């Protein structure tokens, strides 16, 4: 059955109501005012970012906060509801209002969070601090994602790819290549180092003995690399500076 405008037809497999034409509605029950051939996505985006929508800005702020701190003010990050309040509701609301007032400027939001003393704290636990009472007493260390680890190793070694050879890589990890596609060296590395599950936070360390042994013993990590070969040709002070910049992103 053909329909005009923002509407769908309930499929016959649904049983009750099969064949009924249902007009599109927003969550509050309002129908979008659209012409027959107008695209739906702009209307959805306008509704989501409307000043009348109290949820979008908070959800976006909570996700950015989780990326920077390793855990959101609301966890899980996609479970914003009254029964799951934020750890610091005033902070979340203030940032959401600032985010909305700047036209949802993500760079501005990141600057606001990173400029706080909370974000700039050391990872060392203050003497006598109880993290159960003071969850932001220090900046918890975040574990690098498999993607970030692979890209960082590529940058540090100067190699074009890192093809791990350990037999354990064939069975460890999750999220292999899609069916019908050839698994690349990067795919193999990501699958082997992807030891997280759906409830894992970025501050949780989940790598085990297989991953540690691979980094220590795999042939790809125990032979000359373009970066090392290049260092051998440089003066000592320049070689040290290049090594620091490639591995810890700062000068010695």
């Amino acid at each position: 059955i053909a329909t005009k405008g923002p509407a769908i037809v309930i499929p016959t497999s649904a049983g009750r109501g099969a064949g009924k034409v249902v007009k599109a509605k927003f969550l509050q029950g309002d129908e979008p005012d659209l012409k027959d051939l107008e695209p739906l996505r702009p209307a959805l985006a306008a509704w989501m970012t409307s000043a009348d929508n109290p949820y979008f800005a908070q959800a976006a702020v909570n996700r950015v906060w989780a990326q920077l701190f390793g855990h959101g003010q609301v966890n899980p990050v996609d479970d914003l509801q009254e029964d799951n309040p934020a750890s610091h509701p005033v902070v979340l609301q203030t940032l959401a209002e600032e985010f909305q007032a700047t036209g949802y400027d993500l760079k501005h939001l990141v600057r606001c969070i990173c400029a706080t003393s909370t974000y700039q704290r050391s990872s060392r636990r203050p003497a006598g601090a109880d993290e159960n009472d003071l969850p932001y007493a220090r900046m918890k260390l975040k574990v690098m994602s498999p993607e970030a680890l692979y890209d960082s190793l590529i940058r540090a070694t100067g190699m074009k790819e890192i093809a791990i050879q350990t037999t354990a890589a064939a069975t460890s990890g999750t999220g292999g290549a899609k069916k019908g596609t050839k698994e690349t060296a990067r795919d193999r590395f990501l699958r082997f180092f992807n030891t997280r599950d759906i409830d894992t936070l970025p501050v949780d360390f989940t790598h085990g003995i297989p991953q540690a042994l691979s980094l220590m013993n795999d042939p790809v990590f125990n032979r000359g690399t373009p970066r090392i070969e290049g260092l051998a040709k440089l003066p000592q002070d320049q070689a040290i500076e290049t090594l620091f910049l490639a591995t810890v992103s700062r000068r010695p």
Side-chain angles (χ1 to χ4, degrees), residues 156 227 231 237-252:
R227 183 78 65 194
L231 290 176
D237 57 345
Q238 190 175 348
I240 292 174
E241 182 172 291
T242 300
L243 187 60
F244 265 73
L245 291 173
T247 55
V248 293
S249 300
R250 65 174 178 83
R251 299 184 187 280

Side-chain angles (χ1 to χ4, degrees), residues 69-70 122-124 138-144 202-205:
F69 284 93
S122 168
S123 61
R124 295 181 179 179
R138 67 184 179 103
M139 173 59 76
K140 292 183 178 180
L141 296 177
K142 297 181 286 294
V143 180
M144 295 178 73
V203 294
D204 297 332
F205 186 80

Side-chain angles (χ1 to χ4, degrees), residues 38-127:
E38 280 188 339
L40 304 181
R41 188 171 295 175
L44 174 63
W47 170 78
M48 290 179 64
T49 58
S50 168
D52 297 329
N53 182 357
Y55 305 108
F56 176 77
Q58 288 193 19
V61 167
N62 191 55
R63 285 184 178 275
V64 172
W65 186 280
Q67 289 176 338
L68 294 174
F69 284 93
H71 55 92
Q73 292 202 22
V74 176
N75 290 293
V77 292
D78 58 354
D79 189 25
L80 272 73
Q81 56 174 313
E82 292 182 359
D83 294 337
N84 189 28
S87 60
H88 295 72
V90 175
V91 174
L92 183 63
Q93 182 61 32
T94 300
L95 287 172
E97 291 173 356
E98 179 71 14
F99 183 49
Q100 190 177 65
T102 57
Y104 304 103
D105 187 335
L106 279 172
K107 288 185 178 180
H108 178 75
L109 174 62
V110 170
R111 281 195 295 268
C112 287
I113 297 176
C114 292
T116 64
S117 59
T118 303
Y119 180 80
Q120 296 177 17
R121 287 193 173 118
S122 168
S123 61
R124 295 181 179 179
R125 181 182 299 179

